Amino acid sequence: MTKDLNIKLRLYETNKILVIGRLLYVSSIALTGLISKILGGPNKNFSTLQMGIMLGGALGINLMYYYYFKNYSTRSIKMMKFFTATQLIIDQIIFSIIIFLAGGLTSISFLYYIYDIIAAAFFYSIAGVIAFSTTASMMYGGVIYLQYLEIIPYLPRYNLPHEFILAKDFSAVTTNVFAVITSFYIIGMFSGLIARNLRRKEEEIRLERDKENAILSNLSDGLIYITNHNTINMVNSRAEKILEFKARNVVGKKIEKVDFNKMKLLGEVLQDNNPVREFNFSSIKNSYLRVYTVEVRNENKKLIGTAKIIHDISREKYVDKMKSEFIT
């Protein structure tokens, strides 16, 4: 169950970046269109109404995906992956329409495909990235060649004579399409290799973290780590047991924002800053604790946090008491 939740969380985080990225490129396209209309030069065949419809449609799709992935914990992994793929394909379709309306061969909107290809690298293997590079290539090449063959109309970007000449010149069309498609594959392969290395490093870090958590969980002493910002960052299971609280209720919270009314033992331990302190909780849970407050520094000797090491000395106290009574 935890593994599935981690996969869902990773899909949610990467899709959130995709949604934010789409908002940025849609804003960029809208701004470019607005400037072109103000200047009265390019994009005469790309009407303000068409721009508005495409902008509204793209933002609507973005909002839909945002709300879908926001509730990731209730979604199935298969459907999340399906919707990830569909939004990338929808993006490529939108780019193709923009290229058709904004000048075809002379449009620079093919650059937006690159965003989609790079995004795919963080969701899929190199084979998947090549697949999305192929769909982008087919869509771009399809628009340019359909205009060349006059199956669909050619709408020039600047309405200059040479644009019509280039759009109907086989050599110019083929050279342009080859250069753009080659760039798609090169960027896709490069992004895929980078993403694969990042995933490998992420897996190494995860395994190292799991190993550290296993070690910390099996310590005989309790351990609580507090960051420089006074936030409880980590709690091992032994600390939970000794101080009688649940880690999920405090991890990620600042100490001053934790309600200690139901966690009095934890409150006393965290709010004490003595290097070594013994606590007599015999009236509450018949136990004695020795707490060490240790500064945690990085390799540059910079203070990064504080660790509370909690040692249960109840048995030691009991033995000392028995010795004392025996001697008496």
Side-chain angles (χ1 to χ4, degrees), residues 139-185:
M139 289 186 190
Y140 178 75
V143 171
I144 304 303
Y145 274 109
L146 286 173
Q147 288 182 327
Y148 167 75
L149 296 171
E150 298 183 354
I151 295 173
I152 59 175
Y154 172 67
L155 304 175
R157 181 176 177 82
Y158 302 99
N159 287 312
L160 298 174
H162 78 275
E163 291 183 88
F164 292 92
I165 296 171
L166 288 173
K168 303 304 177 184
D169 184 275
F170 178 77
S171 176
V173 168
T174 302
T175 303
N176 175 280
V177 170
F178 178 78
V180 172
I181 288 176
T182 302
S183 299
F184 288 166
Y185 282 106

Side-chain angles (χ1 to χ4, degrees), residues 4-15 72 80:
D4 286 351
L5 192 60
N6 287 336
I7 294 172
K8 289 180 181 180
L9 179 60
R10 183 166 60 83
L11 284 168
Y12 161 71
E13 288 174 345
T14 44
N15 273 283
Y72 68 91
M80 288 181 76

Side-chain angles (χ1 to χ4, degrees), residues 216-273:
L216 293 174
S217 296
N218 289 291
L219 285 176
S220 58
D221 290 335
L223 179 66
I224 301 173
Y225 174 67
I226 305 153
T227 69
N228 262 348
H229 302 292
N230 225 28
T231 301
I232 302 170
N233 184 261
M234 192 276 295
V235 174
N236 73 348
S237 55
R238 183 62 177 155
E240 288 183 278
K241 186 175 181 180
I242 294 174
L243 298 178
E244 299 180 337
F245 73 101
K246 294 296 182 183
R248 64 173 178 269
N249 295 329
V250 298
V251 171
K253 294 183 180 179
K254 288 184 176 294
I255 291 176
E256 57 268 24
K257 292 186 178 181
V258 176
D259 182 7
F260 292 116
N261 290 327
K262 295 181 180 180
M263 298 179 285
K264 293 183 179 180
L265 304 182
L266 177 64
E268 288 198 42
V269 168
L270 291 182
Q271 292 168 357
D272 183 87
N273 293 316

